[in-house]
Amino acid sequence: MKILVTVKEVAAVADDFEIEGLEIPETYLEYDLNEWDDYAIEAAVRIAEDRDEEVEVVAVTLGPERSEETIRMALAKGVDRAVRVWDDALAEADVLDPTTTARIIAAVAEREDPDLVLSGVQAADDGFGATGVALADLLDMGWAAVVNDLELGEGEASVRRELEGGVEELTTVDLPAVLTIQTGINEPRYASLRGIRQAQRKELAVHSLADLDLDPAVVDDALTLTRLAKPETESDATIFEGDPGETAAELETVLRDAGVGAE
Amino acid sequence: MSDVLAVADHRRGELRPVSYELLTAGRELADALDGDLHAAVVGGNVDRFADKLDCEGVDAIHTVAEGSEFNHDVTVAAVTALFEALDPSAVVMPNSVNGLDYAPAVATRLSLPLVTDAVALDYDDGLTVTREMYGSKVETAVAVDEGPVALTVRGGEWPAAEGVGEAAIEAFEVDIDESSIRSTVRGFEEVGAGDVDISEAEFIVSVGRGIEEEENLELVEELADALDATLAASRPIVDNGWLPKNRQVGQSGKVVTPKVYLALGISGAVQHVAGMKGADTIIAVNTDPDAPIFDIADYGIVDDLFEVVPELIERFES
Ligand SMILES: Cc1cc2nc3c(=O)[nH]c(=O)nc-3n(C[C@H](O)[C@H](O)[C@H](O)COP(=O)(O)OP(=O)(O)OC[C@H]3O[C@@H](n4cnc5c(N)ncnc54)[C@H](O)[C@@H]3O)c2cc1C
């Protein structure tokens, strides 16, 4: 059995950051493995550990060379090998339609021919939340989005989809399928030192779009980033200033006025 | 003419609120395009849903009576067929959990550009979609080249459509190929019941990832005790297993409406805010002055919760 896991290195902005034009300068960005993908990796590695049959877990990512550090973390957690796709055309794109991302990953998936694809519900940076389901449709596979429980059966997966308001949907999906994994489905492991050492020796293949027989024009999708800004705050919050003793005193007044702590 | 197709969301016999909101978003876009607004509802008691969706500004409602509950395979087939029949300029879908489960497939199947989680739509020669990145800390505008587009809209951003319209309600027949149905909904389950019901609480102390370690929860428990408040949390705390699911506030957790909601080390992600924005007074303690929680807070302290909380405990304990 082969499981493909889509992973992404995402950027978070620092507490104090600036925007220059359509970019946030590198100094204000901190990179990490996408939170949702961490749970997808864990789900895949657990399936590999729990099954009697041989299971290969392959991670696929779109990202520049820098992202290899993050991909190595996935390898250190038990992923067997990784494929990284990068291209000048991708480097130049300001915003990628999530279906474009899915098209590129689909080219890798077609070569790998997995039995199961696990994807994060969303990427913490651009938050499109669409790659997994788009990928499923392009691959002509079944799918389920926002999965917080997963059991593999013969030819099908029984999943729980976490809906709004504390309601879960119980669904079965035919395999092969793409499942988008929600946080909380498991407890992602930390990479062990041994895992980190082993990860250095694991295969991390790099492909350009041409390597995947994709025309670089695939990146010229219909979306263009036109503005990047700090949201204008409509906040009329009263911000208490001062040392913690002073701010706590102000807060006490507000709380007492609201009836907190009253006998 | 440039019409807009808006697809309603429903679950367990009820239209979800976002259904009415996307009618408003769809109407705005249809006005800009000088076209009609078509609404669609797939599955469930479609006739009853159609009556409810017949709000002011809706020109036509298409009902697809297939199945009693949402099934993404059926929905994709139905919306795709409707799109092909109507040839609209945009299909507007909800950015709900079910929307996330079918909208991307509609886009790929019809080869449409897809922009999800829209918070505003502007039309001026072309469509520009406003959305958020980096957990609401950055706002972006994305221009969509000419041609039809698939959109999902965030709940709570547009007012709900109201009034009574004069829409033509028509049943739309879709040939659903049985072999294309690869998923089956077996049922639903409520989760998160337990000893406390945070949705009834009058005062809530809520804690987020800023607490860093499970051991540190003791500090906020102490505060909740001192204030005689109920302890709640954002999702990562529950994901980590530090508090049970029934303490989670937000989209997939509980909606709370306390008199006071004190958010400690919570960034204010949209899915969290969905559960607590109805509190009378919102107070946030966060080290990050740009944390989105301050946008909805009434009072804020930009500081380390580990410095502020002990001071506060002392004040209420003495
Ligand atoms: C489909 C879906 C459903 C979801 N449902 C929910 C839901 O129901 N509820 C929910 O909460 N989330 C939900 N989420 C997750 C949500 O998107 C966020 O990931 C989550 O709310 C973030 O929680 P947080 O604010 O605690 O953590 P973070 O976003 O990591 O924020 C931590 C904050 O703590 C601050 N901080 C750090 N250290 C300190 C300190 N010492 N003192 C003060 N402040 C500090 C930081 O500045 C930061 O703002 C959902 C996501 C998806 C995709």
Side-chain angles (χ1 to χ4, degrees):
Chain A
M1 174 180 199
K2 190 192 277 189
I3 306 176
L4 193 67
V5 190
T6 67
V7 296
K8 186 180 182 189
E9 181 186 72
V10 293
V13 292
D15 280 1
D16 278 305
F17 70 100
E18 300 294 331
I19 292 174
E20 288 173 10
L22 292 176
E23 273 176 47
I24 297 168
E26 282 290 324
T27 47
Y28 302 118
L29 298 176
E30 297 154 15
Y31 293 95
D32 205 349
L33 174 63
N34 181 38
E35 188 181 351
W36 282 266
D37 299 346
D38 200 12
Y39 289 84
I41 290 168
E42 182 65 31
V45 171
R46 284 192 192 185
I47 293 169
E49 287 169 348
D50 293 348
R51 294 231 141 191
D52 294 333
E53 64 181 314
E54 189 67 29
V55 180
E56 187 183 31
V57 181
V58 182
V60 52
T61 191
L62 262 60
E65 200 176 341
R66 185 202 56 236
S67 65
E68 290 202 356
E69 213 178 302
T70 295
I71 305 311
R72 292 269 175 219
M73 286 313 288
L75 293 169
K77 287 170 180 236
V79 169
D80 295 301
R81 63 185 168 84
V83 177
R84 175 170 75 85
V85 181
W86 198 238
D87 201 282
D88 290 345
L90 279 166
E92 279 161 27
D94 50 9
V95 57
L96 269 197
D97 184 322
T99 64
T100 305
T101 308
R103 272 196 178 84
I104 297 167
I105 295 175
V108 175
E110 272 157 13
R111 284 168 167 72
E112 296 285 349
D113 194 22
D115 304 285
L116 181 67
V117 181
L118 301 181
S119 185
V121 165
Q122 64 172 21
D125 51 5
D126 59 24
F128 274 111
T131 307
V133 171
L135 178 64
D137 193 57
L138 292 169
L139 295 174
D140 201 18
M141 285 185 179
W143 74 83
V146 193
V147 168
N148 71 353
D149 190 62
L150 159 63
E151 246 173 74
L152 287 184
E154 272 310 309
E156 63 177 32
S158 297
V159 303
R160 278 171 183 262
R161 294 184 55 232
E162 188 189 69
L163 306 178
E164 293 87 353
V167 176
E168 295 184 349
E169 181 196 277
L170 314 173
T171 296
T172 51
V173 194
D174 295 349
L175 295 175
V178 180
L179 308 176
T180 79
I181 302 297
Q182 173 67 308
T183 59
I185 187 175
N186 52 38
E187 206 178 308
R189 69 194 65 193
Y190 288 99
S192 66
L193 274 175
R194 187 162 156 264
I196 292 169
R197 266 202 311 275
Q198 282 172 344
Q200 296 306 324
R201 290 195 298 274
K202 289 184 180 174
E203 180 187 331
L204 204 171
V206 184
H207 295 310
S208 66
L209 294 175
D211 293 339
L212 298 169
D213 295 321
L214 289 169
D215 187 332
V218 67
V219 174
D220 302 332
D221 55 40
L223 306 188
T224 313
L225 188 68
T226 56
R227 193 169 57 85
L228 199 65
K230 288 193 183 184
E232 261 176 54
T233 160
E234 290 143 31
S235 163
D236 43 14
T238 305
I239 304 290
F240 302 133
E241 312 274 351
D243 65 36
E246 290 162 341
T247 55
E250 300 246 38
L251 186 48
E252 180 188 6
T253 310
V254 169
L255 290 171
R256 296 232 188 248
D257 284 352
V260 175
E263 287 307 304
Chain B
M1 226 180 21
S2 293
D3 296 348
V4 171
L5 173 64
V7 187
D9 206 13
H10 62 87
R11 189 196 305 154
R12 299 165 103 188
E14 298 297 332
L15 284 170
R16 306 202 59 245
V18 69
S19 298
Y20 299 98
E21 296 162 16
L22 51 80
L23 291 180
T24 305
R27 183 67 255 171
E28 268 177 33
L29 192 55
D31 283 343
L33 293 164
D34 202 15
D36 283 347
L37 173 63
H38 295 257
V41 60
V42 183
N45 189 343
V46 290
D47 295 326
R48 190 168 60 88
F49 290 154
D51 284 341
K52 294 195 166 188
L53 290 169
D54 188 8
C55 301
E56 221 174 288
V58 181
D59 297 295
I61 299 170
H62 309 272
T63 60
V64 182
E66 292 277 351
S68 57
E69 278 296 344
F70 170 80
N71 171 290
H72 64 236
D73 297 310
V74 171
T75 306
V76 173
V79 174
T80 310
L82 258 173
F83 192 96
E84 280 166 347
L86 299 169
D87 195 24
S89 292
V91 50
V92 181
M93 297 167 279
N95 200 71
S96 58
V97 173
N98 282 344
L100 291 175
D101 196 42
Y102 79 88
V106 167
T108 47
R109 214 159 288 181
L110 294 166
S111 295
L112 300 176
L114 171 67
V115 189
T116 61
D117 206 16
V119 297
L121 302 173
D122 290 288
Y123 198 90
D124 181 18
D125 284 338
L127 174 67
T128 299
V129 183
T130 305
R131 57 195 308 284
E132 294 177 342
M133 278 181 76
Y134 304 109
S136 301
K137 285 174 79 174
V138 176
E139 192 176 271
T140 66
V142 176
V144 186
D145 291 356
E146 248 176 282
V149 59
L151 301 168
T152 73
V153 300
R154 178 180 289 183
E157 294 294 324
W158 278 268
E162 291 177 352
V164 181
E166 297 165 1
I169 299 177
E170 278 172 46
F172 184 79
E173 298 287 331
V174 190
D175 238 346
I176 308 253
D177 170 11
E178 283 302 316
S179 70
S180 71
I181 308 289
R182 299 202 185 99
S183 60
T184 315
V185 178
R186 304 276 178 211
F188 298 92
E189 216 173 274
E190 309 269 352
V191 289
D195 51 334
V196 259
D197 185 0
I198 56 170
S199 59
E200 299 286 329
E202 199 176 1
F203 304 118
I204 289 181
V205 170
S206 196
V207 62
R209 186 142 44 195
I211 198 73
E212 286 167 15
E213 313 250 345
E214 187 170 13
E215 296 82 78
N216 298 336
L217 271 183
E218 231 171 87
L219 182 69
V220 285
E221 272 161 6
E222 216 178 299
L223 177 66
D225 275 350
L227 301 183
D228 205 5
T230 304
L231 185 63
S234 68
R235 178 165 192 130
I237 304 303
V238 173
D239 284 343
N240 285 344
W242 298 350
L243 284 175
K245 180 96 187 169
N246 62 357
R247 302 281 180 153
Q248 182 178 316
V249 172
Q251 176 189 306
S252 46
K254 288 250 164 71
V255 173
V256 298
T257 49
K259 281 193 185 147
V260 174
Y261 190 86
L262 176 55
L264 304 169
I266 293 177
S267 65
V270 57
Q271 297 94 347
H272 184 80
V273 169
M276 45 67 79
K277 59 175 185 246
D280 290 346
T281 301
I282 298 170
I283 305 163
V285 180
N286 197 305
T287 43
D288 176 6
D290 288 319
I293 190 83
F294 288 122
D295 294 346
I296 57 154
D298 300 289
Y299 300 94
I301 296 176
V302 181
D303 207 343
D304 188 340
L305 74 92
F306 295 108
E307 303 277 335
V308 178
V309 171
E311 294 280 348
L312 204 53
I313 292 172
E314 202 169 304
R315 291 182 168 273
F316 277 86
E317 274 184 344
S318 57

